[in-house]
Amino acid sequence: MNILFAEDDENLGKMVHHLLQKEYGRVDWVKDGQSAYDYSIFTDYDVIILDWMMPGMSGLEVCKRLREKGFKGGILFLTAKDSVEDVVEGLDSGADDYLVKPFKFEELVARLRALSRRVDKPFEEILSLDDLELNLSNHVVKRNGKVIELSKKEYELLELLLRNKHQVLTREMIIERIWGFDTDVTENALDALVKLLRKKVDEPGKPSIIKNVRGVGYKLRDSHGN
């Protein structure tokens, strides 16, 4: 599953994010409501885990706005609010499930497993653009049927670009998603990673599949140059 985790509590966030990554692989973690909304608009998430009370925009407001935008994935609230009225308000906002803090991580995983079975949105197993394919189940990348060996960071960058193949991703967003919020990684490191990935996925004599949008960031280029 492609998961977004929104939690502003630093200690709880670090712990749950770490455990979710061990369970599901790469999981995006944001610390405020506006970022949760922005990430959800630009990335096709299967499930979003929302803290109820966050700076910028509450989880409740994020949930309402995403449903209004037509988001079909699962939404689960994490919150200390446990009254019947709060539960009803959360579910009425468009959430699929509700987990009260404190909770055991095993229960969160069980809720996510159940949620993944009942959401209408089909889970993608293969991300593709023209003849480039990335299999999310076995992490195999192919172009024209030929397997391409990628490093962990190269794979993460390609997955991020494919999930957002119709969007321009800013340098800041890519660095946060690949290296994390608190990283001291520079834009030069990102450019170097892009260069390494291009060497492996591009075809000789043709424009790079990874387009540099000057002053902004990167996006994927299809066979029509878009």
Side-chain angles (χ1 to χ4, degrees), residues 111-166:
R111 298 289 186 96
L112 292 175
R113 191 182 303 120
L115 188 55
S116 71
R117 291 195 294 264
R118 68 176 188 256
V119 295
D120 295 332
K121 180 177 173 295
F123 297 149
E124 291 181 286
E125 289 191 358
I126 295 180
L127 303 177
S128 64
L129 179 68
D130 298 330
D131 56 5
L132 178 66
E133 293 186 350
L134 183 150
N135 190 308
L136 295 168
S137 299
N138 57 22
H139 287 200
V140 172
V141 176
K142 295 181 180 180
R143 186 159 194 191
N144 282 325
K146 182 180 178 181
V147 175
I148 301 172
E149 297 292 338
L150 299 180
S151 69
K152 182 175 182 294
K153 284 288 186 283
E154 290 165 353
Y155 178 92
E156 290 176 353
L157 175 58
L158 182 59
E159 179 185 348
L160 179 62
L161 290 169
L162 281 168
R163 286 191 183 277
N164 299 275
K165 58 188 175 184
H166 302 301

Side-chain angles (χ1 to χ4, degrees), residues 3-189:
I3 298 174
L4 174 67
F5 172 50
E7 170 61 63
D8 65 316
D9 183 287
E10 189 76 23
N11 292 329
L12 177 62
K14 281 184 177 179
M15 180 184 68
V16 175
H17 183 232
H18 174 70
L19 293 172
L20 285 171
Q21 284 186 312
K22 288 181 65 176
E23 187 74 24
Y24 296 105
R26 187 175 62 80
V27 176
D28 294 329
W29 173 28
V30 296
K31 303 175 185 179
D32 64 86
Q34 186 63 55
S35 294
Y37 180 76
D38 292 343
Y39 271 53
S40 302
I41 293 300
F42 283 105
T43 302
D44 194 19
Y45 291 107
D46 298 312
V47 176
I48 299 174
I49 304 169
L50 287 175
D51 180 33
W52 185 297
M53 299 299 295
M54 291 185 291
M57 187 189 305
S58 72
L60 196 69
E61 182 64 23
V62 173
C63 183
K64 288 178 179 178
R65 290 182 62 181
L66 288 177
R67 291 308 190 200
E68 289 170 358
K69 282 282 187 179
F71 178 74
K72 299 297 184 183
I75 297 178
L76 182 149
F77 272 123
L78 297 180
T79 179
K81 292 177 175 287
D82 59 358
S83 71
V84 173
E85 292 79 10
D86 289 328
V87 173
V88 170
E89 186 178 12
L91 296 177
D92 282 349
S93 73
D96 299 283
D97 206 349
Y98 195 102
L99 190 56
V100 176
K101 300 175 182 177
F103 57 88
K104 291 186 177 181
F105 182 71
E106 292 79 7
E107 183 178 3
L108 175 58
V109 171
R111 298 289 186 96
L112 292 175
R113 191 182 303 120
L115 188 55
S116 71
R117 291 195 294 264
R118 68 176 188 256
V119 295
D120 295 332
K121 180 177 173 295
F123 297 149
E124 291 181 286
E125 289 191 358
I126 295 180
L127 303 177
S128 64
L129 179 68
D130 298 330
D131 56 5
L132 178 66
E133 293 186 350
L134 183 150
N135 190 308
L136 295 168
S137 299
N138 57 22
H139 287 200
V140 172
V141 176
K142 295 181 180 180
R143 186 159 194 191
N144 282 325
K146 182 180 178 181
V147 175
I148 301 172
E149 297 292 338
L150 299 180
S151 69
K152 182 175 182 294
K153 284 288 186 283
E154 290 165 353
Y155 178 92
E156 290 176 353
L157 175 58
L158 182 59
E159 179 185 348
L160 179 62
L161 290 169
L162 281 168
R163 286 191 183 277
N164 299 275
K165 58 188 175 184
H166 302 301
Q167 306 285 344
V168 177
L169 296 181
T170 66
R171 290 170 170 272
E172 181 182 21
M173 178 178 288
I174 295 173
I175 289 173
E176 285 182 357
R177 300 286 283 279
I178 301 299
W179 284 280
F181 282 95
D182 301 323
T183 184
D184 56 0
V185 167
T186 66
E187 292 188 0
N188 288 338

